């Protein structure tokens, strides 16, 4: 059996896009929190 998991693309962009769309659909404002003190 051939393992095709190495050739699959990441699902992270799809998950982030889905969460972003869900936030907008519910009339909320997405925010990004950044730790500016991180070296």
């Amino acid at each position: 059996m051939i393992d095709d998991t190495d050739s699959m693309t990441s699902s992270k962009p799809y998950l982030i896009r889905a969460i972003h769309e869900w936030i907008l659909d519910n009339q909320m404002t997405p925010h990004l929190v950044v730790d500016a003190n991180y070296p």
Side-chain angles (χ1 to χ4, degrees), residues 14-37:
Y14 299 102
L15 181 59
I16 293 169
R17 185 179 304 125
I19 292 170
H20 181 261
E21 289 180 9
W22 177 83
I23 291 171
L24 296 178
D25 287 346
N26 287 287
Q27 287 87 36
M28 294 188 282
T29 304
H31 289 80
L32 180 64
V33 178
V34 177
D35 183 0
N37 294 318

